[in-house]
Amino acid sequence: MRRFILIAAVAALFVSPMSPAALASSDAEHPKEVEWHHSGPFGTFDRAAVQRGLQVYREVCSSCHGLKYIAFRNLLEIGLSEDQVKTIAAEYTVMDGPNDDGEMFEREGKLFDYMPAPFANEKEARASNNGSMPPDLSLMVKARKGGENYLYSLLTGYMEEPDGVTMAEGMAYNAYFHGHQIAMTPPIDDETVEYADGTKNSKEQIAHDVVSFLAWTAEPTLEARKRLGVKVILYLIVLTLVLYGVKRKVWAKLH
Amino acid sequence: MSGHSSFQSNNAIVKWIEYRLPIFSFVNEALVVYPTPKNLNYWWNMGSLAGVMLVVQIITGVVLGMHYTPHTDLAFASTEHIMRDVNYGWLLRYMHANGGSMFFAVVYIHIFRGMYYGSYKAPRELLWWLGIIIFILMMATAFMGYVLPWGQMSFWGATVITNLFSAVPILGETIVTWLWGGFSVDQPTLNRFFSLHYLLPFVIFAVVFLHLWALHVHKSNNPLGIDIKGPQDTIPFHPYYTVKDLYGMGIFGIIFAWLLFFAPNLLGEPDNYIPANPLVTPRHIVPEWYFLPFYAILRAVPDKLFGVIAMFASLLILFVLPWLDTSKVRSARFRPVYKMLFWAFLIDCLVLGYIGGQPAEGIFVVVGRLGTALYFLFFLSLPFIGWFERPRKLPESIAKAVLESQGGSDGGSSGGGGGAPDGAAAKAEDRG
Amino acid sequence: MTDSTGGDGHDPSRRDFLYVAAGGLGAVGAAGFVWPLVNQMNPSRDVLALSSIEVDLSGIEVGQSITVSWRGKPVFIRRRTEKEIADARAVPMDVLPDPEGDEARVQKAEWLIMVGVCTHLGCVPLGQQGEYNGWFCPCHGSHYDTSGRIRKGPAPLNLVVPKYVYLDDNSVKIG
C-alpha cells in the first residue's frame, strides 16, 4: 500500500502547482468563507433557499442580467409544481414566429421556453447601463474564482470608498471586486424583497439565497453527479479490495 | 511478434479462425504467455493505465462529438447543452476533461519511471522515441481539445499558443495565418481544431501499437535494469501482471472518480465558463497544469524566438537522451550520482510547473530562469556523469536478486509459500 | 504488503469466491459504464420538452390541407370534404391490408390529422394523389386513401395518427 501513497503523493505534487494563484496580483480581498448546503460529497441544494433565490433573481437581478441557459421547465427541478412553473412562465412574454402572415408575434412563455434576456443585444445592454455589459448569470458561480463565496462576498461587499479613492462616474466601491470599482450599483439591501415563507429578509440572507439559486443554475446536475459519485466510489473500493485479494492469491502461486 | 507459437486449442471455431488469421496466438503471445521480468514494481503499472486512459478518452470523445457543434456561435452553447440536457452528458464531459488530466499524470509518471530505471537505453531507444512521439501528439491533442468549448481560456490559449509560431523568422506570420485560416483565431480555426482533435487520438493509437511492438521485441526493462538471462527471470504476463494491473486500475479509478465526481472543475479555469470574447483577454492566462513546466521555460527566456526555441528544445532534448547518457548501467538504483540528479531534475520540473502557473513577475521570473537552466543542465551533465560515476555492483540475474531479497524480508512464508514476489517487489520499491 | 495473514494458497473455496466476485463486480462495472454511453443517444431533455405543438385550425378551408412540423416530422392536417369522408367510410374492412375504421382514426370526421411519413421506408407521401385520391408515396409507390389507410403498394401499415387533443374548436395540441 505504501507505494500507492507514494504514487498519490507524487500525483498530488504534479497537481498542486496547477491551481494557479490568479488573485496573486489582484488587490481584491479574499472572499468570505460561507456555508453552502450543496457543498461536500453529500451536499444537496436547499430547495427553499433556491426558490427564494429565484424570487430574488426575478425581482432584482433580472432587470439587467439574463439567465439564458435556464428554461422554465428546469424550474421543476427545484421543487416547484408544474402549475407554479407554468404560472411563472406565463408572466413572461416570448417572441415567437413568424406566423402565417410572416410576422413575429409575442406570446406567453411556456415550459420549453428559455428565460428571456433583459436586452435585445449587447449594444442595447450597454446603452442602458452606462456603457457596461451586465453578464449572463447562468454560469456565474462556475465562471468566477471563488465561486459561491466570491459572489456572496461581492453582493455583501459594497462600502463607502476609502479616503483618497476617486470613483469614476456611476461606479460603486466594492471590497471584493478586482480594482474595487464596479459598474453594478448595490443591488440588494435589507428588505429588498419580501419572502412569503417568513424568512428574514436581511441583506445577507437575500445574498445567500440568490447565490444558492445561481449555484443551481450553474450546474443543475450537481446532485445527480454527487449521488452517482458516492455509488461509483463505493463500488470501486469494493472492487479494488477484491482485486487486491485476487492479486495476492495469484502471486502466492509463484513458487 | 508471433513467429513460433505455443498456442494450442481444441475448439473447432478457434482453430478455423486461427488458421486464417492467427489472432488468438497473437493475443496469447502478447498478453498471456508473454515473458515479463519477475521483479516489476508498481511504477510499471503506468503503461497499461495510460492505454486504458487513451481508450476512455476516445470513447467519451466520440460520444461527446455526437452532441458538440464546432461553430463559434454554438460551441459554447452546445457544450452547455451536453452538461444540462444530454443524458449523462455532464458525466461524459467531466470524464473527458478530467480524463485528459489523469492521462497526462499517468504518462508523466511513466516517463519519469523510464528515466529513473534507464528504460531508454539500448536496445530500447526506438521504444523511447515512440513514447516521446506519443507524448507530443498527446500535447497537440489536448491543446486543440481545450479550444473546443470556446470559452475565454480556450480562445486566448489558442491565440497565445498559435502565436508561438509567429516567432519563426520571416515565415512566422504566414505560418500563423495558415494555422488560423484567417487573421485571428476564429471559425476556421475552431473547425480545423475539431477535425484534428478527432483525428489525432487514432494516430496516437497507432503509435501506441508500434510502442508495444518495440517493447515486445526486447521485453520490459525492470527495476534492476539488467537483461533477462533466461526463463527463471520471467513470469508469464497473465495472470501475474494482468491482475496486478487490474488492481492498480482499481486504485487509479478511485482517484479518478473522486476528481470526476467531487471536484470536476478543480483542474479547470473559471474563465472557461465565460464564452470566448475576442475583444477582452482574461487577466491571467494559464495553460492546463500539464503544460505549465514548458510554459515556464517559454517565459523564462526574455526573447520571443529564443523562448520558443527553448520550449521546443526542452521537449525535443528527450529524443537524444539515450545518447547523452553514456553510462552502461540502466537503473538509477546502482548509480549514486545519477540518482541524486534524477531527483533534483524531478523537483526542478515540479518547481517549473509551479512557476508556470504564477504571474511572470518578481521572484517567479528569477526562479523560472534558474529552473530552466537546471533543466537543460541536467541533460548536458549526463555524458560526464556516465564517465566518472562509479556504479554499484549489479546483481547477477533478476532471479537471484529476487531470491536474495526474499530471504531477507519474507523468510516466514509457509506451505504454499505465498507472496514471495510481492516481497521482492516491495523491496524494490523501497527506493522507487 | 507483507504476507502475514491469509497466505493460504490451498483454500480452493476462498480463491474461487474471489475470482467469481472479481468477475461479477467487473461485469457490473462494465455494464454501469456502458449504460451512459448508450443512453446519451436517447433524446435529450430539451428535445423531449419540445414534444408537443399547438396548431391553429381557423384558417383552413374545407378541402385544404396544411403540413406542420412536429418532432422534426411532417404532420398532415386535412379538412376533408363530405365526399372524402363518405369515400373513406364506404370502404369494406376486408379490402384493407391494415384494417381500421375511419371513425377510429379521427376525433372529428372533418379533421384528419396524421403523421405524414410513409410506413414503408419513411418518405413523405404527396397529398390528393394516387389511385384512392388520398396520398401517394413517390418513393416506392404506396397508395393511401382519404383516411390515410394503406390500400396498395409496399407499405405495411396505415399512416400513423399521433396523440392530439382539441383545445377548443379552432386549435389542436399535437403530442
Side-chain angles (χ1 to χ4, degrees):
Chain A
M1 259 359 235
R2 198 159 52 87
R3 60 209 75 159
F4 269 116
I5 297 172
L6 250 174
I7 295 177
V10 172
L13 271 175
F14 265 95
V15 161
S16 59
M18 109 277 101
S19 29
L23 292 172
S25 62
S26 155
D27 55 349
E29 273 182 49
H30 202 75
K32 301 169 193 168
E33 292 291 329
V34 190
E35 292 276 311
W36 300 102
H37 198 271
H38 58 267
S39 56
F42 302 99
T44 53
F45 290 117
D46 176 350
R47 294 290 191 285
V50 172
Q51 289 180 22
R52 288 194 301 271
L54 169 67
Q55 182 191 343
V56 178
Y57 169 76
R58 294 182 61 207
E59 292 180 15
V60 183
C61 323
S62 65
S63 55
C64 297
H65 295 279
L67 208 54
K68 64 177 174 182
Y69 292 113
I70 295 299
F72 293 112
R73 66 185 157 87
N74 295 130
L75 298 176
L76 294 168
E77 299 156 25
I78 60 172
L80 296 173
S81 71
E82 186 159 339
D83 285 338
Q84 283 174 305
V85 177
K86 279 184 169 161
T87 313
I88 291 173
E91 290 168 19
Y92 289 81
T93 45
V94 175
M95 189 63 86
D96 200 348
N99 61 15
D100 293 344
D101 302 321
E103 275 154 26
M104 303 303 282
F105 59 93
E106 286 186 338
R107 59 165 172 79
E108 286 180 354
K110 295 189 177 157
L111 284 184
F112 54 78
D113 287 316
Y114 284 79
M115 290 278 196
F119 303 106
N121 49 53
E122 185 179 335
K123 292 255 158 54
E124 187 188 304
R126 288 193 187 276
S128 321
N129 287 283
N130 199 15
S132 295
M133 167 76 193
D136 189 88
L137 293 183
S138 310
L139 283 159
M140 193 48 77
V141 165
K142 290 206 283 191
R144 291 291 181 277
K145 200 155 213 72
E148 296 90 337
N149 288 343
Y150 170 74
L151 289 192
Y152 175 85
S153 305
L154 187 83
L155 288 173
T156 54
Y158 285 93
M159 54 175 69
E160 285 296 311
E161 68 263 30
D163 289 340
V165 174
T166 326
M167 301 299 290
E169 175 74 25
M171 302 295 252
Y173 189 89
N174 193 306
Y176 297 90
F177 191 68
H178 182 91
H180 294 314
Q181 303 207 17
I182 184 168
M184 175 168 72
T185 51
I188 47 178
D189 206 337
D190 292 339
E191 297 169 19
T192 299
V193 295
E194 202 66 50
Y195 285 137
D197 64 1
T199 306
K200 190 169 174 300
N201 52 357
S202 65
K203 181 167 79 176
E204 287 74 20
Q205 182 66 42
I206 295 170
H208 198 273
D209 287 343
V210 77
V211 175
S212 297
F213 171 69
L214 292 178
W216 170 75
T217 65
E219 188 151 328
T221 53
L222 176 140
E223 289 181 356
R225 164 161 68 79
K226 291 183 176 179
R227 266 201 312 273
L228 185 59
V230 170
K231 283 185 217 155
V232 167
I233 286 185
L234 286 177
Y235 161 79
L236 282 172
I237 288 172
V238 173
L239 177 73
T240 306
L241 287 174
V242 171
L243 285 172
Y244 176 64
V246 174
K247 193 247 161 200
R248 279 176 60 100
K249 284 284 139 197
V250 167
W251 282 73
K253 282 192 282 187
L254 201 73
H255 250 258
Chain B
M1 273 188 250
S2 60
H4 64 93
S5 177
S6 63
F7 179 74
Q8 294 293 330
S9 173
N10 292 323
N11 184 308
I13 299 171
V14 171
K15 275 157 100 177
W16 189 91
I17 296 173
E18 177 69 19
Y19 181 66
R20 286 154 181 84
L21 177 73
I23 190 162
F24 293 101
S25 56
F26 175 82
V27 170
N28 188 54
E29 295 288 316
L31 289 173
V32 180
V33 298
Y34 174 67
T36 318
K38 280 180 164 173
N39 58 337
L40 300 187
N41 57 35
Y42 277 98
W43 299 113
W44 261 264
N45 276 45
M46 298 303 145
S48 63
L49 278 178
V52 167
M53 282 319 296
L54 176 60
V55 172
V56 166
Q57 290 302 86
I58 288 180
I59 291 174
T60 51
V62 166
V63 159
L64 288 169
M66 296 181 189
H67 304 281
Y68 169 79
T69 311
H71 189 287
T72 51
D73 292 342
L74 298 170
F76 191 89
S78 67
T79 307
E80 276 309 306
H81 165 69
I82 291 169
M83 293 296 289
R84 290 160 192 270
D85 288 327
V86 173
N87 302 315
Y88 290 105
W90 59 269
L91 174 67
L92 298 162
R93 171 161 181 256
Y94 277 155
M95 197 184 284
H96 196 70
N98 288 292
S101 281
M102 295 304 282
F103 195 4
F104 269 99
V106 161
V107 164
Y108 274 123
I109 297 173
H110 191 65
I111 294 171
F112 280 113
R113 191 270 286 148
M115 290 180 71
Y116 186 84
Y117 294 111
S119 302
Y120 49 83
K121 291 189 191 181
R124 297 189 182 84
E125 301 94 323
L126 266 186
L127 175 60
W128 176 253
W129 274 25
L130 290 164
I132 302 166
I133 291 170
I134 293 169
F135 179 48
I136 293 172
L137 286 170
M138 275 175 68
M139 293 173 99
T141 310
F143 159 66
M144 287 189 277
Y146 194 66
V147 176
L148 301 185
W150 209 243
Q152 272 290 66
M153 242 0 139
S154 299
F155 182 89
W156 291 102
T159 301
V160 168
I161 301 298
T162 47
N163 262 317
L164 290 180
F165 293 93
S166 69
V168 177
I170 306 165
L171 287 176
E173 286 301 317
T174 319
I175 295 174
V176 173
T177 307
W178 175 76
L179 283 174
W180 287 342
F183 303 100
S184 63
V185 173
D186 208 336
Q187 175 59 35
T189 328
L190 175 62
N191 224 336
R192 65 191 57 182
F193 277 17
F194 176 63
S195 172
L196 293 172
H197 180 71
Y198 211 122
L199 167 73
L200 285 185
F202 298 97
V203 179
I204 293 176
F205 200 88
V207 184
V208 166
F209 185 82
L210 297 177
H211 190 66
L212 287 175
W213 190 358
L215 172 72
H216 284 216
V217 174
H218 289 286
K219 311 290 184 271
S220 299
N221 186 28
N222 65 82
L224 298 172
I226 55 177
D227 289 332
I228 296 168
K229 302 231 166 59
Q232 71 281 3
D233 286 346
T234 65
I235 46 178
F237 191 80
H238 180 76
Y240 296 104
Y241 286 109
T242 41
V243 71
K244 194 174 174 181
D245 280 355
L246 284 172
Y247 167 52
M249 279 170 207
I251 302 278
F252 173 82
I254 293 171
I255 300 169
F256 187 11
W258 175 80
L259 191 64
L260 159 58
F261 289 108
F262 298 122
N265 293 309
L266 175 69
L267 304 180
E269 276 298 313
D271 280 293
N272 226 27
Y273 283 108
I274 304 170
N277 181 350
L279 304 181
V280 182
T281 308
R283 261 197 299 280
H284 190 68
I285 296 194
V286 271
E288 292 284 83
W289 68 268
Y290 37 80
F291 293 134
L292 290 177
F294 300 101
Y295 193 55
I297 291 174
L298 169 77
R299 297 194 307 189
V301 184
D303 176 89
K304 185 169 172 177
L305 176 60
F306 287 102
V308 173
I309 290 176
M311 191 187 73
F312 282 109
S314 67
L315 198 53
L316 298 178
I317 200 167
L318 291 170
F319 277 108
V320 288
L321 178 59
W323 293 275
L324 286 176
D325 188 348
T326 49
S327 173
K328 292 277 178 284
V329 177
R330 290 199 190 99
S331 174
R333 193 175 290 176
F334 304 104
R335 299 186 59 193
V337 180
Y338 175 73
K339 189 198 232 168
M340 254 163 44
L341 274 183
F342 170 84
W343 288 113
F345 176 71
L346 177 62
I347 291 165
D348 187 41
C349 289
L350 296 175
V351 168
L352 282 174
Y354 175 76
I355 296 295
Q358 300 304 319
E361 56 195 35
I363 184 75
F364 298 129
V365 178
V366 181
V367 178
R369 289 190 183 151
L370 206 65
T372 303
L374 287 175
Y375 183 96
F376 288 104
L377 208 62
F378 166 77
F379 288 98
L380 298 178
S381 67
L382 288 179
F384 306 102
I385 289 162
W387 197 31
F388 72 77
E389 185 182 47
R390 304 295 298 270
R392 289 168 50 199
K393 190 173 170 295
L394 293 174
E396 261 171 62
S397 74
I398 295 171
K400 233 174 161 177
V402 168
L403 274 177
E404 270 164 30
S405 68
Q406 262 167 42
S409 72
D410 203 34
S413 60
S414 59
D422 252 26
K427 189 80 176 170
E429 268 124 39
D430 286 351
R431 288 172 208 92
Chain C
M1 222 182 287
T2 54
D3 196 32
S4 53
T5 57
D8 39 14
H10 36 227
D11 181 353
S13 67
R14 189 177 152 207
R15 180 183 301 175
D16 290 350
F17 167 74
L18 272 176
Y19 292 164
V20 171
L25 279 169
V28 170
F33 180 67
V34 167
W35 172 239
L37 299 175
V38 173
N39 195 29
Q40 55 87 18
M41 283 174 66
N42 277 319
S44 57
R45 296 196 300 166
D46 54 330
V47 172
L48 292 174
L50 287 174
S51 56
S52 70
I53 54 162
E54 284 169 28
V55 184
D56 179 15
L57 302 175
S58 55
I60 307 169
E61 303 293 331
V62 175
Q64 275 190 338
S65 302
I66 61 165
T67 304
V68 294
S69 172
W70 174 64
R71 289 181 170 177
K73 292 182 287 198
V75 168
F76 297 151
I77 301 178
R78 177 157 180 83
R79 190 168 182 182
R80 298 190 293 184
T81 59
E82 289 298 329
K83 178 171 182 307
E84 284 171 341
I85 299 169
D87 284 352
R89 300 205 161 172
V91 180
M93 283 296 139
D94 52 0
V95 304
L96 293 171
D98 178 18
E100 194 180 14
D102 183 64
E103 292 84 352
R105 292 176 57 78
V106 290
Q107 289 179 23
K108 295 179 184 174
E110 197 174 31
W111 296 99
L112 178 62
I113 300 176
M114 55 192 187
V115 177
V117 174
C118 180
T119 58
H120 180 219
L121 292 172
C123 297
V124 178
L126 305 169
Q128 288 68 61
Q129 293 191 23
E131 293 178 19
Y132 303 90
N133 247 333
W135 284 263
F136 170 69
C137 182
C139 289
H140 307 98
S142 294
H143 299 258
Y144 297 90
D145 65 15
T146 56
S147 186
R149 294 172 298 198
I150 181 66
R151 298 296 289 276
K152 189 178 167 188
L157 299 171
N158 305 333
L159 291 176
V160 172
V161 177
K163 265 191 203 146
Y164 62 89
V165 284
Y166 288 96
L167 298 175
D168 54 58
D169 279 351
N170 277 327
S171 68
V172 64
K173 181 181 165 192
I174 299 170

